[in-house]
Amino acid sequence: MLILLASCGRSDSTSQETVDDKEIDTIPMLVQQIRQCSKLYTAEYKVHKIVTHDDVVRLSGKALGKDFQMNFPALGKRKVAIPIDATLKAYIDMSQLKAEDIRRDGERIEIILPKPHVVMTSSSIDHDGIKQYVAVLRSNFTDEELSNYEKQGRKAIIEDIPRMNILQTAKSGAANMLIPIIARMGYKQENVTITFIEADDKRGGIAWVLD
């Protein structure tokens, strides 16, 4: 994070500069400075999920014009528990930043950033940790079945993202990384506000300032 902060924070300005109406307009410089970060990764989560599945032999068909389904528990059940490890990373696409996303009012400045994106960068099955129970009259789970259950687990993790705290962490992380960069251009940290667009067509939302 320190390396990223240093690389994104290069500037010909010094921390001794002051903000006034006579200085050269720093907005285009600030836009260029921030956009150099491109994709700013600000949060990483390690997720461990156990996918379970159990089934019995079922016979389904149609008789007398009606669909039917019958279970045959006497033929035995199959159960499996599959541990899945996944890595989620949140980033903010700084290349979308435009001059109008930076609002300056005297010594105060507001940076409006796009909402964070979350991607699953990796996932894997802990094959040594798989637990199976297969009745004598049943066949073992195939590699294809296990692969399908892994896909279900990946999908479940992605669907759980809104209930995780990763988006909030990404936003506060971005604020804590960007505010010092902006401060190097002469703004006081307490006068810098980072705001995130909460929808594609609407600005606003929660604002983060450095504690």
Side-chain angles (χ1 to χ4, degrees):
M1 188 174 292
L2 291 174
I3 295 173
L4 178 60
L5 181 61
S7 64
C8 291
R10 294 192 185 97
S11 172
D12 294 332
S13 305
T14 68
S15 59
Q16 300 302 317
E17 290 178 325
T18 58
V19 181
D20 55 43
D21 295 333
K22 295 181 180 180
E23 71 174 350
I24 298 175
D25 185 9
T26 59
I27 299 302
M29 184 190 304
L30 190 55
V31 172
Q32 181 181 8
Q33 195 91 339
I34 296 176
R35 291 185 65 174
Q36 286 179 358
C37 300
S38 186
K39 289 184 178 181
L40 182 64
Y41 286 89
T42 58
E44 177 177 316
Y45 274 36
K46 300 289 186 181
V47 180
H48 182 76
K49 188 176 186 65
I50 297 178
V51 179
T52 59
H53 176 81
D54 64 89
D55 61 36
V56 297
V57 177
R58 292 182 175 90
L59 176 65
S60 59
K62 180 175 290 188
L64 302 175
K66 295 183 178 181
D67 294 328
F68 72 90
Q69 182 171 286
M70 298 179 61
N71 295 337
F72 292 89
L75 295 179
K77 293 183 178 181
R78 295 192 309 171
K79 298 180 180 180
V80 65
I82 307 172
I84 297 178
D85 294 304
T87 299
L88 301 175
K89 291 185 179 182
Y91 71 90
I92 297 170
D93 188 358
M94 295 300 187
S95 65
Q96 298 181 21
L97 189 73
K98 302 180 289 294
E100 54 265 35
D101 295 325
I102 299 180
R103 300 172 180 175
R104 185 174 128 188
D105 182 13
E107 295 186 355
R108 304 189 68 84
I109 188 168
E110 177 186 17
I111 313 295
I112 303 173
L113 298 178
K115 59 184 178 182
H117 297 274
V118 181
V119 292
M120 181 182 292
T121 58
S122 65
S123 68
S124 60
I125 292 179
D126 177 10
H127 291 278
D128 294 334
I130 294 177
K131 305 296 183 183
Q132 297 189 54
Y133 167 77
V134 180
V136 176
L137 298 178
R138 300 295 303 278
S139 59
N140 290 327
F141 289 96
T142 65
D143 290 340
E144 181 179 0
E145 287 176 317
L146 295 178
S147 178
N148 286 334
Y149 300 147
E150 180 191 11
K151 292 178 181 178
Q152 294 175 20
R154 286 167 52 93
K155 182 180 179 181
I157 292 173
I158 292 173
E159 291 175 347
D160 282 341
I161 288 175
R163 291 182 286 275
M164 299 180 186
N165 200 40
I166 186 170
L167 292 176
Q168 298 296 100
T169 302
K171 291 176 181 179
S172 59
N176 283 291
M177 295 174 71
L178 290 176
I179 289 177
I181 295 175
I182 300 168
R184 291 182 184 181
M185 302 189 73
Y187 294 91
K188 294 181 179 179
Q189 291 190 358
E190 60 267 25
N191 291 336
V192 181
T193 302
I194 305 295
T195 306
F196 292 87
I197 300 173
E198 295 300 323
D200 294 335
D201 58 349
K202 183 173 67 175
R203 298 182 184 277
I206 301 174
W208 267 259
V209 296
L210 194 65
D211 294 334

